[in-house]
């Protein structure tokens, strides 16, 4: 599933990717029937957007043991969660903008979970039926501000700090997916979701006990070791096995 813009329509549209190049217009990811009398398109005819517009992004910190070690922390007894605003979301190819108030902005490659229907107080074994699918996420972080503030809201919430995409795979087992981050083609992060301290389904259960998750909401599941800074002119790429690659250039604000 994906979102796109095309000169034929005035507003963003949803589509289903068939094969590697064909985009079939659909009503929405939550109503995946095809739009009537609309011809298929090719990827090079459309501009991809973030595949959903979530009401909220619930992100998880310290969910890989190797990342916990590199940050000098200890494993938490429960998932550590925080919120990123909808206004931080950008799609593939859009610029991550470095704010003047920060001297160090880091990439963080993550698997993102997209909620498919209203979800409240579910058990882990029930979680799969509430998930639409999975996509790539970059939990961009102003690391110096995170350390300065002692909490994460400002450091995680700048506009453009939530790259998401390029599309949603609706038929994927999230238990052992390879995940990578490359900066200007150089491998910086490489791990597997099998190393998550709290699994995808455990996270859905834990978070839905706290707050209602709505269709299109996103859970960012945490990042492995290897986080590091970006600078003006860089290209950062997040890869998730079974999804593809989310690429975003970086520019100074």
């Amino acid at each position: 599933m994906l979102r796109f813009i095309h000169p034929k329509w005035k507003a963003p549209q949803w589509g289903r990717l068939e094969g590697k190049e064909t985009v079939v217009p659909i009503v929405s990811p939550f109503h995946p029937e095809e739009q009537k009398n609309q011809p298929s398109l090719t990827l090079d005819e459309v501009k991809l957007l973030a595949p959903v517009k979530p009401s909220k992004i619930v992100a998880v910190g310290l969910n890989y043991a190797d990342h916990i070690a590199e940050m000098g922390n200890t494993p938490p007894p429960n998932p550590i969660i925080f919120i990123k605003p909808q206004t931080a979301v950008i799609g593939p190819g859009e610029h991550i903008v470095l704010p003047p108030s920060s001297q160090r902005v880091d990439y963080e490659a993550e698997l993102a979970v997209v909620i498919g229907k209203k979800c409240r107080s579910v058990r882990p074994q029930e979680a799969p039926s509430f998930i639409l699918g999975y996509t790539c996420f970059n939990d961009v972080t102003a690391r110096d501000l995170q350390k300065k503030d002692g909490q994460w809201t400002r450091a995680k919430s700048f506009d453009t700090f939530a790259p998401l995409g390029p599309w949603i795979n609706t038929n994927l087992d999230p238990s052992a997916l390879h995940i990578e981050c490359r900066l200007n083609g150089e491998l910086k992060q490489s791990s597997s979701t099998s190393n998550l301290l709290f699994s995808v389904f455990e996270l859905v259960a834990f978070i839905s006990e706290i707050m209602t998750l709505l269709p299109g909401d996103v859970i960012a599941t945490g990042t492995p070791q290897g986080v590091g800074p970006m600078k003006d002119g860089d290209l950062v790429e997040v890869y998730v096995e079974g999804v593809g690659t989310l690429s975003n250039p970086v520019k100074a604000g």
Side-chain angles (χ1 to χ4, degrees), residues 2-6 9 11-16 23-26 35 41 43 45-51:
L2 50 81
R3 286 175 70 235
F4 66 91
I5 54 176
H6 185 275
W9 291 277
Q13 302 293 309
W14 280 277
R16 182 178 69 247
V23 176
V24 178
I26 61 174
Q35 292 190 19
L41 305 165
L43 273 179
E45 292 181 275
V46 305
K47 175 178 171 55
L48 292 178
L49 305 172

Side-chain angles (χ1 to χ4, degrees), residues 151-163:
Q151 54 85 25
W152 302 354
T153 302
R154 178 166 65 138
K156 300 279 191 177
S157 298
F158 286 94
D159 288 358
T160 76
F161 272 28

